Amino acid sequence: LMLAMTGQFRNLLAADRRISQQAALQKTADHIATLLEKAEPLPLELTAVIPARFMQSTETGIEFVAVARAGAFTFGLSEISVALTDVNGLMQLTQTNSPRRLQQNRTATINTVLSEEVNVLAFTFLSPPTSDGATPEWQPEWQTPASLPLAIKVQLGTKTGRGDQLVASSFAYLNR
């Protein structure tokens, strides 16, 4: 009887771990989407020639300028990046915040590990409609200078202990 019950509970525990892992992955995707919704139409490089890039994406990360609360009634700007990085053979999803200063040196950079289980990070960008009336389209990367996309889809993935791939998605809406 005990052996039969143990088998039943093992399946329930595995299902509970999978649900917890999926919820944590979704929470991380939602966090990144919330960060992206704070993106401001400001150049990444203070000394850049016009047209400057407001947002830069690669296959493993994204960088943008956003509003960050500096105090109860004070707001400041921060350069934010979210990237999937290899640390000693292990993939980590990290967030970097660097307060925006007039000088180029970054003295107060804060690095935060968002997850050590993510093995897929992907962004898809919804382009604004063009002047000729073409409908917005989803693009795998954002390379348009001096503009922000209408929306960004964030997709994260991780492997379970059984080798299954879990995926979580969230959307950030930037149309202002």
Side-chain angles (χ1 to χ4, degrees):
L1 182 65
M2 289 297 283
L3 189 58
M5 288 177 58
T6 303
Q8 291 292 328
F9 286 126
R10 190 174 302 136
N11 289 336
L12 290 173
L13 286 173
D16 183 56
R17 273 194 300 273
R18 182 180 171 92
I19 290 168
S20 295
Q21 208 173 10
Q22 181 71 42
L25 196 63
Q26 186 62 52
K27 185 176 179 181
T28 303
D30 292 342
H31 169 75
I32 294 170
T34 300
L35 284 175
L36 289 166
E37 287 179 345
K38 296 178 183 177
E40 291 293 324
L42 296 168
L44 285 169
E45 300 289 329
L46 292 173
T47 59
V49 294
I50 304 297
R53 199 172 295 284
F54 292 171
M55 181 174 282
Q56 183 171 331
S57 71
T58 64
E59 288 182 19
T60 57
I62 192 165
E63 184 178 4
F64 56 96
V65 177
V67 172
R69 184 175 288 277
F73 300 103
T74 309
F75 293 92
L77 294 176
S78 190
E79 292 176 22
I80 298 176
S81 67
V82 176
L84 194 57
T85 55
D86 185 345
V87 178
N88 299 327
L90 298 173
M91 299 307 284
Q92 285 186 341
L93 183 62
T94 57
Q95 173 186 331
T96 304
N97 290 20
S98 302
R100 175 54 77 90
R101 305 272 191 252
L102 291 178
Q103 64 271 24
Q104 287 297 319
N105 57 350
R106 297 178 181 177
T107 57
T109 298
I110 300 169
N111 294 313
T112 306
V113 176
L114 299 177
S115 177
E116 294 180 339
E117 297 178 358
V118 172
N119 64 357
V120 174
L121 172 66
F123 298 98
T124 312
F125 304 89
L126 184 61
S127 63
T130 58
S131 58
D132 62 0
T135 58
E137 292 183 5
W138 289 98
Q139 303 172 356
E141 59 184 35
W142 189 253
Q143 299 296 329
T144 307
S147 71
L148 291 173
L150 291 176
I152 303 170
K153 179 182 179 183
V154 179
Q155 190 168 10
L156 300 178
T158 189
K159 290 229 185 250
T160 65
R162 301 173 124 183
D164 299 332
Q165 184 76 20
L166 294 179
V167 177
S169 303
S170 193
F171 289 89
Y173 301 97
L174 291 100
N175 54 352
R176 296 181 190 153

